[in-house]
Amino acid sequence: MSSHASPQDRYEQSQARFRTVFENSPLGLKIITPDLTIRQVNPAVLAMLGITRPEDLVGRKIIEFAHPDHRADWQELQTRLWEHKLPAFTLETCLVRADGSSFWCQVHSVLFPDEGGELGYTILEDISDRKTLEAKLKRLYDAQETILQLATHDLKGPIAHIELLTDLLQREVASRSGEAPPPPEMVHYLGLIQQSCTHAHALLQDVLYVGDLDEHGLQKRPTDLNAYLTAQLERHQLAANEKAIRLELELPSQAPQARLHPEKFGRVLDNLLHNALKFTPAGGTVTVGVREQAGRALLTVRDTGIGIPSKLHGNLFDKFNPTRRAGLQGETTTGLGLFIARQIVEQHGGAIWLESREQEGTTFFIELA
């Protein structure tokens, strides 16, 4: 543009550029008034609505083309832009074509001044394919989730039955005090069956818990963390005693508060404490503490165990963690414990992380609002 162009020339050239962009955009573009009357449309909008001539659309209200179930979407847009004076608003809605068929579109509308008032510059994007794909994926996910839940529930019965029969056989073997001792292989195999059943039961419980996390929200309530942690640790004292591990608490004199779902958050502590006890040798210590830091509660679970190699840190919270390890006494893991812990902590609006070095122990940190 010449620096000597008059204001009128610059205006006309600006208008020409706008018309070129407006008319040739692959997205639907329209300008609407505060009462949702269409002032101007581009060919893409006409194609979307199945209308041939602009004059058959200009002067009509866009809400005339709204699906009956989605007329409120345009009323909300009208309220947000012209009453609440939002500079821009985005929504997804359903429109009806001239032939009666419908389609989904995403609407972006921006206010701009014009002739002493404000008009809405609106972009329409046909997202029918995306919505169809979303619906298919949701149906697939729901079907898979249902099958998984049914299979998990149905498997619990047979596994429990195998556990019961194994226990009965072990009791029978132990009760034959006056007879020849059973072959060592028999005792060994029965023990392996019992361990496998215990592992399978734990895996099923974790899978069910993951499904529950996906479906249900949390009802949280204010909780005294000193009292809560004290009660939680009592449940693990027996396991710690059996492994000759000290289980300690570090609590401040002024108890921090946090909003928790006590039962589900207890699963976080259960998982972290089970791990700490599995990887701490006899004579070691597992310490649970809490303190207030920058207005937030910071919980810690610290052990003096074998630590976690740094190369494993990046995958520890993954679902079915491929780097999971057996405990010091051969305890197995489902690979879901830390994944579940992270999901629950994040549902509480918190964060979880760890610090660990081999042979120097591990500390898990949980920050809560």
Side-chain angles (χ1 to χ4, degrees):
M1 182 188 302
S2 170
S3 59
H4 301 295
S6 68
Q8 182 63 30
D9 290 338
R10 289 197 294 271
Y11 173 77
E12 291 178 357
Q13 290 175 7
S14 174
Q15 287 295 301
R17 285 195 297 270
F18 171 78
R19 281 193 298 272
T20 299
V21 173
F22 189 87
E23 294 296 324
N24 294 296
S25 173
L27 299 174
L29 303 177
K30 61 183 175 63
I31 295 175
I32 55 176
T33 63
D35 64 356
L36 304 182
T37 298
I38 300 170
R39 286 271 296 265
Q40 188 175 350
V41 294
N42 72 346
V45 173
L46 298 177
M48 282 183 186
L49 295 175
I51 294 175
T52 306
R53 303 181 305 168
E55 52 266 33
D56 293 334
L57 193 54
V58 173
R60 298 172 68 179
K61 293 187 177 181
I62 186 61
I63 202 168
E64 294 177 34
F65 299 91
H67 188 281
D69 295 338
H70 292 271
R71 294 176 65 88
D73 294 343
W74 293 99
Q75 293 166 349
E76 182 181 10
L77 181 143
Q78 185 181 40
T79 299
R80 295 293 187 93
L81 291 180
W82 281 282
E83 291 184 23
H84 297 171
K85 299 299 181 182
L86 291 181
F89 185 66
T90 298
L91 59 84
E92 291 183 0
T93 191
C94 191
L95 293 174
V96 179
R97 300 185 182 93
D99 64 4
S101 62
S102 61
F103 68 99
W104 280 93
C105 67
Q106 188 169 59
V107 180
H108 306 277
S109 200
V110 180
L111 280 183
F112 69 96
D114 184 85
E115 299 176 355
E118 289 182 312
L119 300 178
Y121 182 83
T122 303
I123 302 170
L124 301 180
E125 180 181 4
D126 188 331
I127 59 170
S128 297
D129 290 344
R130 193 192 86 193
K131 297 293 282 189
T132 299
L133 180 59
E134 286 177 356
K136 288 181 179 178
L137 290 175
K138 186 178 187 307
R139 288 195 296 271
L140 178 62
Y141 175 82
D142 289 344
Q144 291 177 334
E145 192 72 12
T146 299
I147 292 170
L148 179 63
Q149 295 288 315
L150 288 173
T152 304
H153 279 290
D154 289 347
L155 284 171
K156 289 173 68 177
I159 291 172
H161 193 58
I162 294 170
E163 278 189 296
L164 176 60
L165 292 175
T166 305
D167 184 60
L168 290 174
L169 285 172
Q170 288 175 322
R171 289 171 184 244
E172 177 69 17
V173 168
S175 66
R176 295 183 175 183
S177 57
E179 303 179 19
E185 293 85 357
M186 179 187 295
V187 177
H188 178 64
Y189 293 151
L190 288 174
L192 289 178
I193 294 172
Q194 193 77 42
Q195 290 177 18
S196 296
C197 288
T198 300
H199 179 62
H201 181 71
L203 179 58
L204 293 177
Q205 288 295 104
D206 279 350
V207 170
L208 286 173
Y209 207 88
V210 170
D212 186 54
L213 285 174
D214 292 339
E215 294 173 7
H216 304 291
L218 296 177
Q219 296 296 322
K220 298 177 285 187
R221 62 173 182 263
T223 303
D224 179 316
L225 292 179
N226 280 10
Y228 180 74
L229 293 178
T230 300
Q232 291 294 313
L233 253 67
E234 289 178 359
R235 297 163 47 193
H236 297 271
Q237 190 63 60
L238 179 60
N241 292 343
E242 290 177 349
K243 292 174 179 282
I245 297 171
R246 291 187 302 277
L247 193 55
E248 298 182 349
L249 267 172
E250 290 182 350
L251 304 177
S253 56
Q254 184 70 31
Q257 300 283 318
R259 292 183 59 82
L260 301 178
H261 184 293
E263 179 184 345
K264 290 195 173 181
F265 193 81
R267 185 62 181 266
V268 177
L269 295 172
D270 286 345
N271 290 350
L272 294 181
L273 285 167
H274 282 315
N275 279 349
L277 293 173
K278 278 196 303 186
F279 295 106
T280 300
T285 303
V286 174
T287 305
V288 176
V290 64
R291 64 180 184 271
E292 190 169 313
Q293 182 171 289
R296 297 171 69 88
L298 183 66
L299 283 70
T300 55
V301 178
R302 184 175 72 250
D303 66 59
T304 59
I306 62 173
I308 303 170
S310 58
K311 65 181 181 181
L312 303 183
H313 291 190
N315 301 110
L316 279 178
F317 295 100
D318 291 351
K319 189 184 293 186
F320 295 113
N321 172 16
T323 61
R324 58 187 184 271
R325 305 175 295 169
L328 296 181
Q329 298 181 20
E331 303 98 331
T332 57
T333 176
T334 65
L336 283 169
L338 290 178
F339 170 80
I340 289 172
R342 182 177 66 177
Q343 300 304 306
I344 297 173
V345 169
E346 290 180 351
Q347 284 188 334
H348 281 78
I352 182 171
W353 69 95
L354 78 151
E355 293 178 0
S356 182
R357 290 185 179 181
E358 289 188 83
Q359 307 307 320
E360 295 184 16
T362 300
T363 302
F364 280 91
F365 299 86
I366 303 172
E367 187 179 61
L368 294 172

